[in-house]
Amino acid sequence: RILEYENPNLNHLSKEAGCRFELWDCSGDQKFEACWPALMHDSHGVIIIFNPELPSHLKETEMWYSCFVQQRPLLDSQCLLVAHHKPGSAGDTENLSL
């Protein structure tokens, strides 16, 4: 799944510049691991989304960070880590300690 966005007239600090980005959903499933290098090529950032209610996701998050951030290498400032609770789950009311 891919989301593409382009804004040719982005204003920042009184300067005009273009902005183009693509968000690729690589599912995190290791059966697609062979495709990950192509997805990471020319990337400038990473968003890792995980479900903190699934114990396996905590370990997988470390693997995704290693593959997508450390091996690129990207700076931590180029990464976003999102803990997503499914609506209606017990996690909706709990605070996650990272």
Side-chain angles (χ1 to χ4, degrees):
R1 290 169 255 169
I2 306 167
L3 170 69
E4 295 184 50
Y5 178 79
E6 189 167 343
N7 184 347
N9 301 315
L10 183 67
N11 290 314
H12 179 66
L13 300 174
S14 300
K15 295 180 184 178
E16 250 187 58
C19 174
R20 179 176 183 264
F21 71 86
E22 298 176 2
L23 295 176
W24 291 72
D25 179 357
C26 65
S27 82
D29 193 326
Q30 287 189 290
K31 70 181 179 183
F32 299 112
E33 190 172 358
C35 300
W36 294 353
L39 296 175
M40 292 185 288
H41 182 71
D42 290 336
S43 66
H44 298 282
V46 172
I47 301 170
I48 298 173
I49 303 171
F50 71 103
N51 183 345
E53 295 172 19
L54 299 176
S56 64
H57 274 203
L58 297 177
K59 185 157 185 80
E60 289 175 18
T61 299
E62 292 175 3
M63 183 268 305
W64 297 329
Y65 182 82
S66 174
C67 289
F68 286 91
V69 179
Q70 292 176 325
Q71 292 180 25
R72 271 287 296 142
L74 293 175
L75 302 173
D76 285 346
S77 61
Q78 294 171 278
C79 306
L80 177 63
L81 181 62
V82 178
H84 174 68
H85 294 280
K86 291 189 176 185
S89 69
D92 276 350
T93 58
E94 297 175 16
N95 289 327
L96 178 63
S97 175
L98 293 177

